[in-house]
Amino acid sequence: MMYVQVVFPIASFTSFTYKVPLNLKSNIYIGCSVNAPFRKKIIIGYIISIHNRKSFKGTTHHIDSIYKGKTDISSELWKVIIWMSKYYLSPIGLCIKTALSSNIVKENNAHKNLYIEINHNHYQDFTDTLSKNQKKLITILLKNNQPVLASSYKNKISNLYYVVDTLERKKILSKLYFDKLDLKEEIKVNTSLKLSNAQNQIFQKILPHMILNKFHSFLIHGVPGSGKTEVYIKLALEAIANNKSVIVLIPEIILSTQMEDRFKKYFGNSVAIWHSKMASREKKHTLQKISSGEYKIIIGARSCIFSPVSNLGLIIVDEEQDSSYKQESPQPYYNARDVAIMRASFADCPVVLTSATPSLESYHNTLINKMTLLQLENKYYKSPLPKVEIINMINKVSENQIFSERLLDAIKETILKK
């Protein structure tokens, strides 16, 4: 008889013993998600160990079935979860729940939308009379080079769907059903990026570790505007060229669009954004594209570190000192920067931390040779450093003045210059 220890996504350090039915033995492995009876319900649990004997003396139930959804944990991510549970003293079930929250998406929003497009060949040969509304819809379609969402014209054309069905029977237009997220404009990408000598020296120190699948952690310490981003974009280009995936952590969701635009210049539609505020439908779409390998670069806030990417070749932690990487509630209370370092170690790939003001922990790690310090001391573009003035405000405290006259004058001057 085969026995397994199963944990559930609850705040408990306890694992539970279950028997494995004969017909499921060949499908059982550590990290496998299963349906099991728990508190008079069948819920999803995760196998953490497999045994031929049981140590539990009470009644042992059978596993009901293997869970059919896509919640299996890769061996690399499983190691991260085990480390999180031990390091942060958090129940393994909650660590699994956190890591898989990006994978578990409700299906109820995954409906398709009706799109329509002109069938040019049949339209050109069509000679019968068309109604006013039919002509109006055709005029709209002729102006678009790609399928359009039918529902967006409900207020412009009366009896829209009747018109659509009629034109489809006449073979003038075609009906398509898909998610609007599948419609992406083709982006012209730039696959070349020229680095300065200082940037190239850093690039050349990191590159061998990525090519040889060797873990190493680097801290790029550079003044603002020194071109840290260009260095890791160049590294990401090399990773993609070698059919590897890249995770880029940013401290705030609000920065995701800015970073996405920057990466899309070089990687086009292979870039995905991931964060906790995404709608279920967007998450499902993104997961499908990650699984198919269409998305090679995943950019996002701290939960992005658990993205189910395969063949991970590089992890970037931008502004590594930022406190937003710390999960303060609910459990597990983790630092995504440290989880990134551990995931890179289990994936055998380099992890690159960047900052103009490194955290004390990371800087200390460079002093004890746990991490390699790489410095960019000059600006990427030849612009002068800003002038800084220190204003003595001590005499203004009694007057409850919080802005100096010098600052107010500078603000007025800036506004006048628009």
Short mmCIF file of all heavy atoms in Angstrom, two decimals, residues 115-120 134-150 153 164 167 172-174:
data_model
loop_
_atom_site.label_atom_id
_atom_site.label_comp_id
_atom_site.label_asym_id
_atom_site.label_seq_id
_atom_site.Cartn_x
_atom_site.Cartn_y
_atom_site.Cartn_z
N TYR A 115 -16.16 38.83 -33.05
CA TYR A 115 -15.48 39.79 -33.90
C TYR A 115 -15.91 39.56 -35.34
O TYR A 115 -16.27 38.45 -35.73
CB TYR A 115 -13.96 39.64 -33.79
CG TYR A 115 -13.38 40.21 -32.51
CD1 TYR A 115 -13.51 39.54 -31.31
CD2 TYR A 115 -12.70 41.43 -32.52
CE1 TYR A 115 -12.99 40.06 -30.13
CE2 TYR A 115 -12.17 41.97 -31.35
CZ TYR A 115 -12.32 41.27 -30.17
OH TYR A 115 -11.81 41.80 -29.02
N ILE A 116 -15.87 40.60 -36.12
CA ILE A 116 -16.27 40.49 -37.53
C ILE A 116 -15.22 41.15 -38.42
O ILE A 116 -14.56 42.11 -38.01
CB ILE A 116 -17.65 41.12 -37.78
CG1 ILE A 116 -17.71 42.55 -37.22
CG2 ILE A 116 -18.77 40.27 -37.18
CD1 ILE A 116 -19.04 43.27 -37.45
N GLU A 117 -15.08 40.63 -39.64
CA GLU A 117 -14.17 41.24 -40.60
C GLU A 117 -14.72 41.05 -42.01
O GLU A 117 -15.48 40.11 -42.27
CB GLU A 117 -12.77 40.63 -40.50
CG GLU A 117 -12.67 39.18 -40.89
CD GLU A 117 -11.24 38.65 -40.84
OE1 GLU A 117 -10.32 39.47 -40.71
OE2 GLU A 117 -11.06 37.43 -40.95
N ILE A 118 -14.36 41.95 -42.90
CA ILE A 118 -14.86 41.91 -44.28
C ILE A 118 -14.20 40.77 -45.05
O ILE A 118 -13.03 40.45 -44.84
CB ILE A 118 -14.59 43.27 -44.99
CG1 ILE A 118 -15.44 43.42 -46.24
CG2 ILE A 118 -13.12 43.42 -45.31
CD1 ILE A 118 -16.86 43.78 -45.94
N ASN A 119 -14.97 40.13 -45.88
CA ASN A 119 -14.44 39.09 -46.77
C ASN A 119 -14.26 39.76 -48.14
O ASN A 119 -15.19 39.85 -48.94
CB ASN A 119 -15.42 37.92 -46.86
CG ASN A 119 -14.83 36.74 -47.59
OD1 ASN A 119 -13.93 36.89 -48.41
ND2 ASN A 119 -15.32 35.55 -47.30
N HIS A 120 -13.08 40.27 -48.40
CA HIS A 120 -12.84 41.13 -49.57
C HIS A 120 -13.18 40.45 -50.89
O HIS A 120 -13.76 41.08 -51.79
CB HIS A 120 -11.37 41.60 -49.58
CG HIS A 120 -11.07 42.59 -48.51
ND1 HIS A 120 -11.37 43.93 -48.62
CD2 HIS A 120 -10.51 42.44 -47.28
CE1 HIS A 120 -11.00 44.57 -47.53
NE2 HIS A 120 -10.47 43.68 -46.70
N GLN A 134 -26.63 47.63 -43.73
CA GLN A 134 -25.60 46.72 -44.24
C GLN A 134 -24.46 47.52 -44.87
O GLN A 134 -23.27 47.23 -44.65
CB GLN A 134 -26.21 45.76 -45.26
CG GLN A 134 -27.14 44.72 -44.64
CD GLN A 134 -27.89 43.91 -45.68
OE1 GLN A 134 -27.80 44.18 -46.88
NE2 GLN A 134 -28.67 42.93 -45.22
N LYS A 135 -24.80 48.52 -45.65
CA LYS A 135 -23.78 49.37 -46.27
C LYS A 135 -22.96 50.11 -45.20
O LYS A 135 -21.74 50.25 -45.32
CB LYS A 135 -24.43 50.40 -47.19
CG LYS A 135 -25.00 49.80 -48.47
CD LYS A 135 -25.67 50.89 -49.31
CE LYS A 135 -26.26 50.30 -50.59
NZ LYS A 135 -26.95 51.34 -51.40
N LYS A 136 -23.66 50.55 -44.15
CA LYS A 136 -22.98 51.27 -43.07
C LYS A 136 -21.95 50.40 -42.38
O LYS A 136 -20.82 50.83 -42.10
CB LYS A 136 -24.04 51.76 -42.07
CG LYS A 136 -23.56 52.82 -41.10
CD LYS A 136 -24.73 53.35 -40.29
CE LYS A 136 -24.29 54.43 -39.32
NZ LYS A 136 -25.42 54.94 -38.52
N LEU A 137 -22.33 49.14 -42.09
CA LEU A 137 -21.40 48.22 -41.42
C LEU A 137 -20.23 47.87 -42.33
O LEU A 137 -19.08 47.82 -41.87
CB LEU A 137 -22.15 46.96 -40.99
CG LEU A 137 -21.31 45.91 -40.24
CD1 LEU A 137 -20.69 46.51 -38.98
CD2 LEU A 137 -22.16 44.69 -39.88
N ILE A 138 -20.49 47.66 -43.60
CA ILE A 138 -19.42 47.33 -44.55
C ILE A 138 -18.42 48.48 -44.64
O ILE A 138 -17.20 48.26 -44.68
CB ILE A 138 -20.02 47.01 -45.94
CG1 ILE A 138 -20.73 45.66 -45.90
CG2 ILE A 138 -18.93 47.01 -47.01
CD1 ILE A 138 -21.54 45.36 -47.13
N THR A 139 -18.93 49.72 -44.65
CA THR A 139 -18.04 50.90 -44.69
C THR A 139 -17.10 50.91 -43.48
O THR A 139 -15.91 51.20 -43.61
CB THR A 139 -18.87 52.19 -44.71
OG1 THR A 139 -19.73 52.18 -45.85
CG2 THR A 139 -17.97 53.42 -44.78
N ILE A 140 -17.66 50.56 -42.32
CA ILE A 140 -16.84 50.51 -41.10
C ILE A 140 -15.76 49.43 -41.22
O ILE A 140 -14.58 49.66 -40.90
CB ILE A 140 -17.73 50.23 -39.87
CG1 ILE A 140 -18.62 51.44 -39.57
CG2 ILE A 140 -16.87 49.89 -38.64
CD1 ILE A 140 -19.68 51.19 -38.52
N LEU A 141 -16.15 48.26 -41.71
CA LEU A 141 -15.20 47.14 -41.80
C LEU A 141 -14.10 47.41 -42.81
O LEU A 141 -12.97 46.97 -42.64
CB LEU A 141 -15.95 45.85 -42.16
CG LEU A 141 -16.95 45.34 -41.10
CD1 LEU A 141 -17.65 44.08 -41.60
CD2 LEU A 141 -16.25 45.05 -39.80
N LEU A 142 -14.45 48.11 -43.89
CA LEU A 142 -13.45 48.40 -44.92
C LEU A 142 -12.35 49.34 -44.41
O LEU A 142 -11.25 49.36 -44.94
CB LEU A 142 -14.12 49.02 -46.15
CG LEU A 142 -14.94 48.06 -47.03
CD1 LEU A 142 -15.74 48.83 -48.07
CD2 LEU A 142 -14.04 47.02 -47.70
N LYS A 143 -12.66 50.08 -43.36
CA LYS A 143 -11.68 51.01 -42.80
C LYS A 143 -10.73 50.35 -41.82
O LYS A 143 -9.77 50.96 -41.35
CB LYS A 143 -12.39 52.17 -42.11
CG LYS A 143 -13.14 53.09 -43.06
CD LYS A 143 -13.86 54.19 -42.30
CE LYS A 143 -14.63 55.12 -43.24
NZ LYS A 143 -15.36 56.16 -42.49
N ASN A 144 -11.02 49.09 -41.46
CA ASN A 144 -10.19 48.39 -40.46
C ASN A 144 -9.40 47.26 -41.11
O ASN A 144 -9.94 46.49 -41.91
CB ASN A 144 -11.09 47.81 -39.36
CG ASN A 144 -11.65 48.89 -38.46
OD1 ASN A 144 -11.01 49.32 -37.51
ND2 ASN A 144 -12.86 49.35 -38.76
N ASN A 145 -8.14 47.17 -40.72
CA ASN A 145 -7.27 46.13 -41.28
C ASN A 145 -7.30 44.84 -40.48
O ASN A 145 -6.69 43.86 -40.88
CB ASN A 145 -5.82 46.64 -41.33
CG ASN A 145 -5.67 47.82 -42.28
OD1 ASN A 145 -6.32 47.84 -43.32
ND2 ASN A 145 -4.84 48.78 -41.91
N GLN A 146 -8.00 44.84 -39.34
CA GLN A 146 -8.10 43.63 -38.53
C GLN A 146 -9.52 43.49 -38.02
O GLN A 146 -10.32 44.43 -38.11
CB GLN A 146 -7.10 43.66 -37.38
CG GLN A 146 -7.35 44.73 -36.34
CD GLN A 146 -6.40 44.61 -35.16
OE1 GLN A 146 -5.49 43.79 -35.16
NE2 GLN A 146 -6.61 45.40 -34.13
N PRO A 147 -9.90 42.32 -37.52
CA PRO A 147 -11.27 42.11 -37.03
C PRO A 147 -11.65 43.14 -35.97
O PRO A 147 -10.81 43.59 -35.19
CB PRO A 147 -11.22 40.70 -36.44
CG PRO A 147 -10.11 40.02 -37.16
CD PRO A 147 -9.08 41.09 -37.41
N VAL A 148 -12.93 43.52 -35.95
CA VAL A 148 -13.41 44.50 -34.98
C VAL A 148 -14.44 43.83 -34.06
O VAL A 148 -15.14 42.90 -34.46
CB VAL A 148 -14.04 45.73 -35.67
CG1 VAL A 148 -13.01 46.46 -36.49
CG2 VAL A 148 -15.24 45.34 -36.52
N LEU A 149 -14.53 44.33 -32.84
CA LEU A 149 -15.48 43.81 -31.87
C LEU A 149 -16.89 44.24 -32.26
O LEU A 149 -17.20 45.42 -32.33
CB LEU A 149 -15.13 44.34 -30.48
CG LEU A 149 -15.98 43.87 -29.30
CD1 LEU A 149 -15.85 42.36 -29.11
CD2 LEU A 149 -15.58 44.59 -28.03
N ALA A 150 -17.76 43.25 -32.54
CA ALA A 150 -19.10 43.55 -33.04
C ALA A 150 -19.90 44.42 -32.09
O ALA A 150 -20.57 45.38 -32.50
CB ALA A 150 -19.84 42.24 -33.32
N TYR A 153 -20.44 48.40 -32.00
CA TYR A 153 -21.23 49.15 -32.97
C TYR A 153 -22.74 49.02 -32.73
O TYR A 153 -23.54 49.37 -33.59
CB TYR A 153 -20.88 48.70 -34.39
CG TYR A 153 -19.42 48.94 -34.71
CD1 TYR A 153 -18.51 47.90 -34.69
CD2 TYR A 153 -18.95 50.23 -34.98
CE1 TYR A 153 -17.16 48.13 -34.94
CE2 TYR A 153 -17.61 50.47 -35.24
CZ TYR A 153 -16.73 49.41 -35.21
OH TYR A 153 -15.40 49.65 -35.45
N VAL A 164 -25.39 41.51 -39.10
CA VAL A 164 -24.20 40.66 -39.15
C VAL A 164 -24.54 39.28 -39.71
O VAL A 164 -23.85 38.76 -40.60
CB VAL A 164 -23.57 40.54 -37.75
CG1 VAL A 164 -22.49 39.44 -37.74
CG2 VAL A 164 -22.96 41.87 -37.32
N LEU A 167 -25.24 39.48 -43.51
CA LEU A 167 -24.02 39.64 -44.30
C LEU A 167 -23.15 38.39 -44.28
O LEU A 167 -22.43 38.10 -45.24
CB LEU A 167 -23.23 40.85 -43.80
CG LEU A 167 -23.86 42.22 -44.06
CD1 LEU A 167 -23.02 43.33 -43.42
CD2 LEU A 167 -24.01 42.47 -45.56
N ILE A 172 -20.29 38.07 -47.18
CA ILE A 172 -19.58 39.35 -47.28
C ILE A 172 -18.67 39.56 -46.08
O ILE A 172 -17.61 40.16 -46.19
CB ILE A 172 -20.59 40.51 -47.41
CG1 ILE A 172 -21.30 40.41 -48.77
CG2 ILE A 172 -19.91 41.87 -47.28
CD1 ILE A 172 -22.37 41.45 -48.97
N LEU A 173 -19.09 39.05 -44.94
CA LEU A 173 -18.23 39.16 -43.76
C LEU A 173 -18.08 37.81 -43.08
O LEU A 173 -18.87 36.89 -43.31
CB LEU A 173 -18.75 40.21 -42.77
CG LEU A 173 -20.11 40.05 -42.07
CD1 LEU A 173 -20.06 39.01 -40.97
CD2 LEU A 173 -20.53 41.39 -41.46
N SER A 174 -17.07 37.71 -42.25
CA SER A 174 -16.80 36.48 -41.49
C SER A 174 -16.93 36.78 -40.01
O SER A 174 -16.57 37.88 -39.55
CB SER A 174 -15.39 35.96 -41.79
OG SER A 174 -15.25 35.66 -43.16
#
